[in-house]
């Protein structure tokens, strides 16, 4: 019996990896354009880190974490998201001494024990960013605009919803008003919401039950409870988003699934993935760094789910993103094959994507491989070419062929071939 992958864990196969690379490269490029630097953090952390940051009455901590005892009996967890680990690292390594504002991004796998379905896996991948050390509303706008730009440049449509969750000064009065509202309708709420109405009332607004949502239509709006400072901050975020043409809608019921958020929160949503419509989300977490024992610096970040981006892109019929070979070297006869083998290395050193057959296959078969590999050119070196000190460069699309003479040094020869290829590709 063959061994299968774990439920909710998926291979990313060579045929789809081109899309992954395209998305990741586009995002990295945009992160760098916005002055972000990469940070790589471990996949395992002490369980306590996530319990203290994400919040112990959230779905993630209550039922989704991969937590286990390691061989020393200490409780460790496979990271369910990136923010907690990045902040842990920021504090532990004193990254704040590099400058008062740190712009960081990280890309990698996350783990949540959820019910696997379309767009929902147990190992999934996020690209996430954090800005630590700035209170400016324009930083919120930069971060949201950057997320928006990623979707634009990879060619996806989504809608952007924003909200403000207030701060430690103003949220308690909203919490109280909401709790009062929930008490009046207590018997109509689902079991989860009943439980949450006491321990974490804001989270009820995120409930997926239609019944509950029907009740919450008339719930108090957090935006009416914001203090002056939070209200000004939110106004500036909205104004500056408009200034740079990022279209948004305010959704006062968006609360996000993690406890650490303050002030601005946002979500990027698509209607094309059914229930798994959230492709990215984030917000401010101004008290979190201090809460974890670091300096009292504000923060903001977001995470985008790679699987959902890949799914959306593959639903669109656009050209396959697959790295094509520049050339396939076709050789015939022992001497030419040996010469070709050395040339192949020189071509790769020149930066060309090049392959040759190593199984001693026939000329016809080698040409077939060139075709199958989607090579742009075939470079043919047979006994006849070897004797004439030349090699034939065949354009696989037009079928046109050109002879290129040997030069004394093989590096120069490879360089001439590269130049010819680049010219013809123009
Ligand atoms: P959802 O409402 O879909 O459960 P979430 O609020 O739990 O999303 P976040 O924790 O904010 O999501 O993570 C940010 C992004 O990571 C999501 O918008 C989504 O694209 C992706 N994501 C989250 N959980 C999963 C998962 N189990 N499988 C695939 N992608 C996921
Ligand atoms: Mg979730």
């Amino acid at each position: 019996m063959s061994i299968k992958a774990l439920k909710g864990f998926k291979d990313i196969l060579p045929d789809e990896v081109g899309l992954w690379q395209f998305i990741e490269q586009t995002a990295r490029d945009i992160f760098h354009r916005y002055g972000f630097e990469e940070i790589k953090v471990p996949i395992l952390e002490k369980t306590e880190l996530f319990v203290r940051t994400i919040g112990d009455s959230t779905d993630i901590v209550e039922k989704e974490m991969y937590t286990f005892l390691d061989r020393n009996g200490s409780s460790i967890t496979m990271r369910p998201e990136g923010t907690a680990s990045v902040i842990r690292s920021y504090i532990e390594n004193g990254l704040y001494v590099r400058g008062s504002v740190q712009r960081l991004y990280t890309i990698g796998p996350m783990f949540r024990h959820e019910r696997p379905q379309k767009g929902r896996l147990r190992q999934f991948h996020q690209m996430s960013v954090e800005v630590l050390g700035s209170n400016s509303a324009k930083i919120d706008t930069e971060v949201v605009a950057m997320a928006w730009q990623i979707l634009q440049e990879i060619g996806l449509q989504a809608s952007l919803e924003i909200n403000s969750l207030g701060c430690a000064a103003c949220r308690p009065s909203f919490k109280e008003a909401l709790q009062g509202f929930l008490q009046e309708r207590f018997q109509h709420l689902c079991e989860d919401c009943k439980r949450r109405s006491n321990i974490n009332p804001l989270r009820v607004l995120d409930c997926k039950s239609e019944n509950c949502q029907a009740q919450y239509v008339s719930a108090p709006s957090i935006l009416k409870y914001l203090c002056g400072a939070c209200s000004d901050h939110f106004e500036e975020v909205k104004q500056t988003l408009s200034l740079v043409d990022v279209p948004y809608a305010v959704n006062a019921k968006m609360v996000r699934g993690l406890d650490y958020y303050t002030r601005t929160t946002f979500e990027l949503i698509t209607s094309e993935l059914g229930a798994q419509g959230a492709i990215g989300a984030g917000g401010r977490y101004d008290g979190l760094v201090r809460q974890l024992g670091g300096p009292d610096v504000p923060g903001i970040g977001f995470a985008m789910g790679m699987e959902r981006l890949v799914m959306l892109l593959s639903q669109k019929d656009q050209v396959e993103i697959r790295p094509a070979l520049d050339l396939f070297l076709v050789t015939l006869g022992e001497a030419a094959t040996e010469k070709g083998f050395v040339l192949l290395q020189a071509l790769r050193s020149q930066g060309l994507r090049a392959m040759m057959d190593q199984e001693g296959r026939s000329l016809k078969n080698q040409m077939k491989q060139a075709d199958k590999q989607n090579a742009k050119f075939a470079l043919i070196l047979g006994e006849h070419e070897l004797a004439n000190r030349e090699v034939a460069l065949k354009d696989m699309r037009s079928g046109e062929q050109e002879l290129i003479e040997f030069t004394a040094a093989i590096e120069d020869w490879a360089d001439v071939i590269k130049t010819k290829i680049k010219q013809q590709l123009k």
Side-chain angles (χ1 to χ4, degrees):
M1 205 173 58
S2 62
I3 299 172
K4 301 258 166 39
L6 291 169
K7 199 173 149 195
F9 288 67
K10 212 174 136 288
D11 302 306
I12 300 158
L13 299 173
D15 278 345
E16 48 186 345
V17 88
L19 277 180
W20 285 77
Q21 290 173 348
F22 165 69
I23 293 170
E24 193 176 315
Q25 275 155 17
T26 307
R28 266 178 201 281
D29 182 49
I30 293 172
F31 293 151
H32 297 158
R33 276 185 258 160
Y34 280 74
F36 282 71
E37 295 174 287
E38 185 168 14
I39 179 169
K40 292 175 187 277
V41 287
I43 283 168
L44 292 179
E45 296 275 0
K46 291 184 179 158
T47 301
E48 194 195 347
L49 174 70
F50 302 112
V51 176
R52 267 171 60 190
T53 50
I54 296 168
D56 48 16
S57 60
T58 56
D59 278 353
I60 295 180
V61 172
E62 274 184 345
K63 50 190 183 201
E64 295 174 359
M65 289 203 311
Y66 275 90
T67 297
F68 49 92
L69 297 180
D70 78 357
R71 289 173 190 274
N72 317 325
S74 39
S75 178
I76 56 179
T77 294
M78 296 173 76
R79 61 180 189 195
E81 56 109 47
T83 303
S85 313
V86 170
I87 294 181
R88 197 259 318 126
S89 173
Y90 169 86
I91 298 170
E92 186 171 344
N93 298 294
L95 294 187
Y96 37 88
V97 304
R98 302 173 78 231
S100 63
V101 180
Q102 293 295 308
R103 298 174 175 231
L104 306 167
Y105 77 88
T106 193
I107 301 175
M110 304 294 160
F111 304 84
R112 297 184 195 174
H113 198 280
E114 304 197 66
R115 193 168 69 77
Q117 52 197 290
K118 186 181 171 199
R120 195 173 292 288
L121 290 143
R122 292 182 171 173
Q123 175 177 333
F124 60 100
H125 298 76
Q126 284 184 341
M127 308 187 285
S128 61
V129 311
E130 320 292 339
V131 181
L132 297 164
S134 175
N135 260 317
S136 167
K138 291 204 189 68
I139 289 287
D140 303 35
T141 297
E142 273 200 62
V143 165
V144 176
M146 184 168 75
W148 186 253
Q149 186 153 358
I150 292 175
L151 296 184
Q152 299 256 296
E153 291 194 20
I154 61 182
L156 292 178
Q157 306 248 299
S159 53
L160 166 66
E161 293 188 356
I162 62 171
N163 192 22
S164 174
L165 295 183
C167 64
C170 53
R171 201 178 324 167
S173 58
F174 171 68
K175 217 164 157 175
E176 206 175 298
L178 184 62
Q179 259 168 337
F181 171 87
L182 295 172
Q183 275 313 315
E184 285 165 25
R185 292 159 182 76
F186 198 74
Q187 70 277 23
H188 301 297
L189 308 181
C190 73
E191 288 311 309
D192 263 352
C193 284
K194 278 182 179 156
R195 195 167 47 87
R196 289 200 166 121
S197 65
N198 290 318
I199 51 173
N200 199 349
L202 263 67
R203 296 280 294 117
V204 306
L205 298 177
D206 206 27
C207 180
K208 302 253 153 57
S209 140
E210 272 176 38
N211 250 335
C212 292
Q213 283 305 332
Q215 296 290 328
Y216 304 149
V217 171
S218 53
S221 161
I222 189 154
L223 296 175
K224 298 222 166 73
Y225 289 80
L226 296 183
C227 62
C230 285
S231 169
D232 289 350
H233 186 95
F234 194 48
E235 281 311 308
E236 193 181 344
V237 172
K238 289 191 288 181
Q239 269 171 24
T240 48
L241 279 174
S242 302
L243 212 57
V244 292
D245 289 327
V246 176
Y248 63 85
V250 174
N251 172 3
K253 291 208 168 60
M254 187 222 303
V255 288
R256 306 290 309 117
L258 300 90
D259 278 355
Y260 52 59
Y261 284 115
T262 56
R263 290 196 167 172
T264 316
T265 51
F266 64 99
E267 268 180 16
L268 291 154
I269 302 155
T270 164
S271 52
E272 291 165 47
L273 289 178
Q276 271 60 256
I279 47 183
R284 261 196 183 274
Y285 43 80
D286 289 345
L288 188 59
V289 180
R290 191 175 62 154
Q291 188 194 316
L292 282 175
D296 189 9
V297 297
I300 178 169
F302 73 75
M304 271 189 187
M306 298 278 291
E307 278 75 6
R308 295 184 193 177
L309 296 176
V310 169
M311 259 169 50
L312 283 166
L313 263 189
S314 59
Q315 281 176 12
K316 298 172 49 154
D317 35 56
Q318 43 167 275
V319 276
E320 198 187 347
I321 304 169
R322 196 177 172 192
L325 278 187
D326 291 315
L327 64 86
F328 195 94
L329 178 60
V330 175
T331 62
L332 208 65
E334 213 172 298
T337 301
E338 200 175 295
K339 182 95 178 160
F341 190 63
V342 180
L343 176 62
L344 181 70
Q345 285 304 98
L347 289 164
R348 289 169 172 165
S349 296
Q350 287 292 334
L352 293 176
R353 296 181 176 184
M355 289 223 312
M356 74 186 284
D357 170 70
Q358 303 296 13
E359 319 307 321
R361 292 196 176 94
S362 70
L363 182 74
K364 195 172 148 206
N365 199 306
Q366 291 181 52
M367 286 307 287
K368 254 195 208 155
Q369 284 185 65
D371 220 28
K372 220 173 136 191
Q373 297 280 346
N374 217 355
K376 294 173 200 146
F377 293 87
L379 192 64
I380 303 153
L381 182 59
E383 279 152 353
H384 174 76
E385 284 82 5
L386 192 65
N388 288 348
R389 300 187 57 77
E390 62 194 16
V391 66
L393 181 68
K394 181 179 177 184
D395 186 324
M396 296 294 280
R397 255 140 266 189
S398 65
E400 273 170 43
Q401 199 161 307
E402 175 181 1
L403 293 171
I404 302 172
E405 267 180 60
F406 280 25
T407 55
I410 205 139
E411 293 77 27
D412 297 340
W413 191 21
D415 186 44
V416 173
I417 294 168
K418 178 175 123 181
T419 311
K420 289 267 187 236
I421 285 182
K422 299 278 164 191
Q423 272 167 3
Q424 292 196 30
L425 285 180
K426 263 189 196 149

